[in-house]
Amino acid sequence: MVGPRVVVVGAGVVGAALVDELSARGWDDITVVDQGPLPAPGGSSSHAPGLVFQTNPSKAMAEMARYTVDKLNTLSVDGEPCFLQVGGLEVATTPERLTDLHRRHGWATSWGIDAAVVDADRCLELIPMLDRDQVLGGLHVPTDGLAKAVRAVDAQIGRARSRGVKVLDRTEVLDVLVEGDRVTAVVTDRGELPADVVVCCAGIWGPRIARMVGMTLPLVPLAHQLAWTGQVAPLAGQTTEARRPILRHQEADLYYRERYDAIGIGYYGHRPMPVSVDDILGVDAADVMPSVMPFTEEDFAEAWRQTHALLPATREAKIEEGINGLFSFTTDDMPLLGPSREVKGFWVAEAVWVTHSAGVGRAMAEWLVDGHCSSFDLHECDVNRFEAHQVAPKFVVERGCQNFVEVYDIKHPLQPMEEPRPLRASPFHVRQQELGAVFLEANGWERPHWYEANAGLVEGRDIPEPDEWAARYWSPIVAAEAQVTREAVAMFDMTALKRLEVTGPGAAAFLQRLVTGDVDKSVGSVTYCLLLDHDGGIRSDVTVARLARDVFQVGANGALDLDWLHRHLPADGTVQVRDITAGTCCVGVWGPRARDLVQPLTDLDLTALKYFRGARGFVGNVPVTALRLSYVGELGWELYTTADMGLKLWDTLWAAGGEHGVIAAGRGAFNSLRLEKGYRSFGTDMTYEHDPYEAGLGFAVKQAKPEFVGREALAAREPTRKLTCLTLDGHVLGKEPVYDGDTPVGYVTSAAYGYTVGTGIAYAWLPADLAEPGRTLHIGYFDRRIPATVAEEPLFDPKMTRLRG
C-alpha cells in the first residue's frame, strides 16, 4: 500500500478533483463517498452555472482558478469538453465601475492572467446584444469561460477510478469515529470504512460532517438565484452551447451565460437567504436535488428589469425556469482548507466554488502527500486562521449574509467590516474615543487609524494630497502623526498584535527547533526570527523575548502561528503554549523624546536596556514588560501589561507626556513609518511562497544552528526574485502590476507615502536582475503608468542611529 487509508466525503467538483490529484501522486487506498448519485450527487456542483472568472484580488485564488481552467481544458467525457473557453467580459455602466475595471485589470496582470480593458465598441463586438448606450467599457479575459461541473466530476472520478480509487455513491455518512485524538473510520449506512485520513469535501453539508469530530466550520449555505430564459431572438438556431463570452454586470449584481438559444441569469441583488445545514433536505426528500430550493419570482423582479436594460433582446423573452440554489459563504469570502486543530487525520476542503475546484484539489493533494503545498500560498485559506469570535454561529451568519450582499461591490482595501462592531477593544479604547480616534477593524479589534484631536498639527506642514481612491480612509492627520513621531514622541496602541507565551523546561529547545534565529540566549534577550515551512518558505516572522529561563513571549502574526506551535509541541508535556493576547495590552512609545518621557516614570534603567533587550519593571504603579523594539524606526519601547492595568498605563504615560509633546498616533502613520524603515509585514510583503533571502530577511536565519524546521530545504532553494523598494511621485495601495517597459515583471506588496522622507514608497516582488538601485520601472495604477525608481533600503536612518540612540 502506498499512502494512508483515505476517505473523502463528498464527490462534487472538489472531492472529484482531490481523489484525481491524490491518486495521480501514487496514493492507492482511497475511497470517495457521497450520499447522492454520481456524477450529479445533488450539491452545489450539480446545479452550478459554471462561470469561471479568474480575476481575483487574492493571488492564490487567481492562481487556483487559472489551474482549474488549464486542467479542465484537458478533460472531456465521451468527446464532450469539460470547459468551454469562450472568454469572460465584465462590463461597466458607470464611470466608477469602469475605473474599478482598470484596477481589476491590474490584479489580472499582477497574477499573470492575460486581460484587457476594452471600449464599448469592442464590448459590442464580443456580445452584440448589449445596449450600446448602457456600456462604457469592459474587462475582457480571453481564457475565462464555462466549466461543465457535472462533466468535470465524471471525468475526474473516472480517472481516479481507473487508478483504483473506490467510489461509493448513494452512501450516507452517519459518523466519523475518533479514538483519542485521531480519526479511525467513517461510518456509513452501508458499513464502516477504516480511515487514517478523512477529508471533508461535503460543501453545504460541511458543517454537519465537521461537527461529527467536534469541529466548527464558519460556513453558511445561502440561496442564490439562477434563472433561464426561453429563446432569445438573436440566439435562435444556435447549435453550440455557448459562443460568446460569459458576462458580468456587477453594477446590478448580475451575471449571464448562453445555453444554446437561451440565457442563464445569476443574481446577487436579492435579500440574503441563509439556510441552516440541518434544514437541507436529503437526496430522496428533495424535489429536484438537495441544493435546489423553489424559485422566488418576486426576488428576481429587479434582476429582470436590469437585464432588459442591458440586453434589450430579452424583452421579448420569458423566464422559463429558475432556482434558488445553495452555495457556501464564509466570514471572509475565502475557502476553508487544511487539517483540524484538535483531531489528527481530519481535513477539510470547504467553501470552494467550481472556479477554484481543480486548484484546490491540487493544493490539498500536495499538502497531504508532501506535508505542505508547493503550488499555492494558502495562508489566507487555512481553516485554522480564525479567532474564537469568528466562528460564533451568529457571527458566521451575519458575515456570510453581508458578504453575499457585497459580492460584486467595489471594495477599498482598507474598507472595514461594519457589522458586527465593536467586538474587541483595548483597555485604551475610552481614551482613544475621547481623542476622536477614527477606528478601522482588524480581526475584530477596534484599531485607531488616526486621531481627530491631532487635526491642529496639520497646519503649516507640506502634506501631499493623494487621489480620490487613495484618499479613502485617509486624512492629512496621518501625515502629521508620522512627522510628530519622528520629531517628538508618540503612543501607539499595539494591543491587536498576537502575543503567545511559551513556558516549561523544554521551551528553549522547542523554540530553537521552530525558529530560524538563536533564542537560547540570556534572560532579557529579544530575537527577530522566522517560522519556516518544511519547504523553506516563510510561515511568519516573530519576535521571541526570553523573560525567564523557561518563559518566552512570542510576538506573532495571528492564529496560524499559534496553530503551528501547537502542532509541534513535544508529547512529553515539557512545553506549554498559550495565547495571552486578550489578557494583556501594549503601548508602543516611540520617538526621539521617548526616553525623556518614560525614564522618570520607571524603575528600569532605560539607557542600559539596549536595542533588542527586554526587562520587567514598573511604569508608575503599573507592572510592565518593556521590550526595546521599534517597528517605526525610532527610539522607544513596547510596554506590555495586563488588561486590567492597561488604562492606568495609558493615563500615566499621557499625563507625563504633555511637556514632551506626546501625541497618540494611529495605524496610518505606523504603516508609513515602517515602510520608510523597510520593515516587512507578513501576509503582505512575504508569504509561504517566499524564502528569507529573497525577502531580504537572510539576517534572521542562523544556518549554523544544527536544526530548525525548513533548514535543509532552505539551503537547496535558489532565489530568482527579490522584494524591492521603489520610490515614486504619488500614492499606490498594493497589488498593482510593475512593468519594465511594456512587460509586466512583478507586483506591489505594501505601499504608503513616506511623510518624513518626502516620497511615495512601494515594495514589490521583482526578478532579481531588475532590482538594481536607480533603475526606472513603472507601476500600473488604474489606467495610468506611474514612474518608479528602484531604491537602496532603508530609506530612513540606514545606520540605525535613531534606534540605537
Side-chain angles (χ1 to χ4, degrees):
M1 184 182 78
V2 177
R5 297 169 299 178
V6 180
V7 175
V8 175
V9 180
V13 283
V14 179
L18 176 57
V19 296
D20 180 34
E21 298 277 348
L22 270 180
S23 59
R25 284 164 174 77
W27 281 15
D28 60 5
D29 193 348
I30 303 170
T31 303
V32 59
V33 183
D34 202 295
Q35 63 183 338
L38 289 175
S44 301
S45 304
S46 302
H47 73 257
L51 287 80
V52 175
F53 290 94
Q54 299 166 82
T55 304
N56 195 290
S58 164
K59 183 173 184 284
M61 296 297 280
E63 289 176 338
M64 287 192 286
R66 186 171 59 192
Y67 180 81
T68 300
V69 167
D70 291 344
K71 181 179 183 180
L72 296 191
N73 251 330
T74 68
L75 300 180
S76 62
V77 176
D78 298 329
E80 294 296 323
C82 291
F83 193 76
L84 308 178
Q85 200 157 48
V86 293
L89 180 66
E90 301 178 36
V91 294
T93 58
T94 65
E96 294 77 16
R97 186 65 64 173
L98 183 60
T99 298
D100 195 58
L101 291 185
H102 283 285
R103 182 172 66 125
R104 294 178 61 79
H105 174 253
W107 296 338
T109 305
S110 289
W111 315 145
I113 298 169
D114 181 33
V117 176
V118 298
D119 63 18
D121 290 337
R122 176 59 177 153
C123 290
L124 264 71
E125 290 176 13
L126 292 165
I127 303 179
M129 281 190 291
L130 290 167
D131 184 345
R132 177 64 177 79
D133 293 335
Q134 293 279 321
V135 177
L136 303 179
L139 176 65
H140 181 222
V141 180
T143 54
D144 286 346
L146 286 167
K148 303 295 294 179
V150 172
R151 201 176 291 161
V153 169
D154 202 4
Q156 292 176 102
I157 288 286
R159 297 205 315 183
R161 186 184 268 125
S162 72
R163 302 187 192 108
V165 171
K166 296 180 281 293
V167 180
L168 302 177
D169 63 350
R170 297 186 180 276
T171 302
E172 185 178 359
V173 172
L174 304 176
D175 200 3
V176 178
L177 300 184
V178 177
E179 291 184 9
D181 63 350
R182 179 172 291 280
V183 296
T184 59
V186 173
V187 180
T188 77
D189 59 358
R190 292 168 58 180
E192 190 171 299
L193 303 172
D196 305 303
V197 173
V198 176
V199 187
C200 178
C201 302
I204 54 177
W205 291 279
R208 181 188 298 172
I209 302 298
R211 204 162 57 208
M212 295 175 181
V213 299
M215 185 178 185
T216 300
L217 283 187
L219 178 160
V220 58
L222 280 145
H224 160 58
Q225 290 199 302
L226 175 66
W228 295 94
T229 70
Q231 185 183 84
V232 178
L235 302 181
Q238 182 166 305
T239 56
T240 55
E241 181 175 348
R243 293 171 49 200
R244 297 162 188 84
I246 57 176
L247 173 65
R248 274 209 286 216
H249 178 23
Q250 296 189 85
E251 201 65 37
D253 297 304
L254 287 162
Y255 63 77
Y256 304 92
R257 57 152 296 178
E258 295 177 355
R259 187 176 69 181
Y260 299 101
D261 62 355
I263 294 176
I265 306 169
Y267 186 43
Y268 288 105
H270 56 79
R271 61 191 168 91
M273 305 178 198
V275 175
S276 169
V277 65
D278 295 316
D279 292 336
I280 301 173
L281 296 176
V283 172
D284 295 330
D287 290 338
V288 181
M289 62 180 74
S291 61
V292 170
M293 302 176 68
F295 186 63
T296 50
E297 190 172 348
E298 64 276 12
D299 290 303
F300 196 73
E302 179 62 15
W304 195 219
R305 189 185 72 79
Q306 292 284 356
T307 297
H308 290 166
L310 185 70
L311 303 170
T314 61
R315 295 170 187 168
E316 304 304 318
K318 294 182 179 179
I319 297 297
E320 297 290 351
E321 56 182 299
I323 64 170
N324 287 3
L326 294 180
F327 288 92
S328 300
F329 278 77
T330 62
T331 59
D332 60 1
D333 282 333
M334 298 296 283
L336 308 173
L337 310 180
S340 161
R341 180 177 292 143
E342 290 83 16
V343 180
K344 293 181 176 65
F346 188 81
W347 294 64
V348 301
E350 291 291 346
V352 180
W353 293 3
V354 175
T355 298
H356 310 101
S357 57
V360 166
R362 176 172 183 166
M364 293 295 295
E366 289 178 350
W367 199 347
L368 283 160
V369 174
D370 302 331
H372 59 86
C373 175
S374 56
S375 294
F376 315 104
D377 161 40
L378 297 181
H379 84 276
E380 297 172 295
C381 307
D382 194 312
V383 69
N384 296 297
R385 65 189 181 269
F386 299 102
E387 299 291 328
H389 71 275
Q390 293 172 322
V391 297
K394 186 173 185 291
F395 184 90
V396 172
V397 173
E398 281 190 60
R399 292 309 306 155
C401 289
Q402 190 60 33
N403 289 336
F404 180 92
V405 169
E406 295 176 350
V407 69
Y408 281 170
D409 284 5
I410 299 172
K411 297 180 184 177
H412 192 278
L414 292 178
Q415 181 176 327
M417 76 174 190
E418 296 298 332
E419 294 293 339
R421 284 177 66 189
L423 287 169
R424 309 171 84 184
S426 80
F428 324 130
H429 188 255
V430 63
R431 296 292 183 260
Q432 293 164 345
Q433 288 178 308
E434 292 168 359
L435 293 171
V438 175
F439 293 99
L440 299 186
E441 176 270 339
N443 279 332
W445 288 100
E446 295 296 314
R447 192 160 66 176
H449 212 59
W450 70 83
Y451 293 85
E452 290 295 335
N454 294 328
L457 299 175
V458 173
E459 187 176 350
R461 297 180 183 271
D462 183 14
I463 298 172
E465 290 283 335
D467 65 274
E468 186 274 336
W469 180 252
R472 298 183 190 183
Y473 306 102
W474 178 89
S475 165
I477 297 171
V478 168
E481 290 177 356
Q483 291 173 352
V484 171
T485 302
R486 297 259 189 255
E487 296 163 359
V489 59
M491 292 165 50
F492 291 82
D493 182 359
M494 306 299 290
T495 302
L497 300 183
K498 178 73 74 177
R499 291 173 292 286
L500 310 176
E501 185 179 74
V502 181
T503 58
F510 168 71
L511 288 169
Q512 283 287 79
R513 289 193 300 273
L514 285 184
V515 302
T516 59
D518 180 9
V519 299
D520 193 6
K521 297 186 290 191
S522 62
V523 172
S525 64
V526 184
T527 308
Y528 175 82
C529 41
L530 307 170
L531 300 175
L532 300 185
D533 213 331
H534 297 285
D535 65 348
I538 300 171
R539 287 193 63 93
S540 189
D541 64 335
V542 297
T543 55
V544 180
R546 190 170 203 169
L547 304 182
R549 175 180 172 79
D550 296 332
V551 179
F552 294 81
Q553 180 173 302
V554 178
N557 281 294
L560 290 180
D561 294 347
L562 177 62
D563 179 64
W564 185 250
L565 266 59
H566 275 154
R567 290 184 186 282
H568 289 84
L569 282 172
D572 60 9
T574 58
V575 183
Q576 296 80 44
V577 177
R578 69 186 185 104
D579 184 351
I580 61 172
T581 310
T584 57
C585 58
C586 179
V587 182
V589 183
W590 294 308
R593 299 181 191 170
R595 185 180 286 115
D596 298 335
L597 167 55
V598 181
Q599 185 62 81
L601 303 175
T602 183
D603 60 325
L604 297 171
D605 182 351
L606 298 182
T607 301
L609 193 63
K610 300 299 183 183
Y611 188 50
F612 268 86
R613 297 290 298 178
R616 286 170 164 167
F618 292 85
V619 170
N621 294 316
V622 180
V624 299
T625 298
L627 304 183
R628 188 167 172 190
L629 305 175
S630 175
Y631 206 47
V632 302
E634 291 290 338
L635 170 69
W637 300 268
E638 294 178 354
L639 301 175
Y640 297 89
T641 191
T642 52
D644 61 320
M645 298 295 288
L647 186 59
K648 185 63 176 176
L649 175 62
W650 181 280
D651 288 346
T652 301
L653 292 166
W654 189 259
E659 64 181 287
H660 304 291
V662 72
I663 63 165
R667 191 72 183 180
F670 182 88
N671 196 49
S672 170
L673 294 166
R674 69 104 178 165
L675 284 177
E676 290 183 332
K677 280 297 293 179
Y679 291 149
R680 278 60 168 149
S681 174
F682 177 79
T684 304
D685 296 317
M686 70 279 191
T687 65
Y688 295 1
E689 66 177 302
H690 306 114
D691 75 45
Y693 298 109
E694 58 192 12
L697 297 174
F699 67 87
V701 179
K702 305 304 179 187
Q703 280 284 7
K705 286 174 59 176
E707 69 167 312
F708 56 83
V709 172
R711 181 180 183 276
E712 292 183 8
L714 179 60
R717 292 175 71 131
E718 296 183 5
T720 59
R721 56 190 170 179
K722 183 178 179 182
L723 184 61
T724 306
C725 179
L726 302 173
T727 58
L728 59 146
D729 182 14
H731 298 71
V732 296
L733 295 179
K735 302 188 178 182
E736 296 89 355
V738 180
Y739 294 86
D740 180 24
D742 291 328
T743 305
V745 293
Y747 60 91
V748 173
T749 58
S750 294
Y753 196 86
Y755 295 107
T756 55
V757 297
T759 186
I761 306 169
Y763 272 77
W765 281 104
L766 297 175
D769 59 354
L770 294 181
E772 301 172 356
R775 178 184 287 271
T776 297
L777 302 169
H778 288 80
I779 297 174
Y781 185 64
F782 292 94
D783 59 348
R784 296 186 287 133
R785 299 280 180 90
I786 299 175
T789 304
V790 176
E792 294 274 12
E793 59 170 336
L795 298 173
F796 180 81
D797 189 25
K799 295 184 178 180
M800 307 281 281
T801 56
R802 309 272 288 217
L803 281 168
R804 300 183 186 279

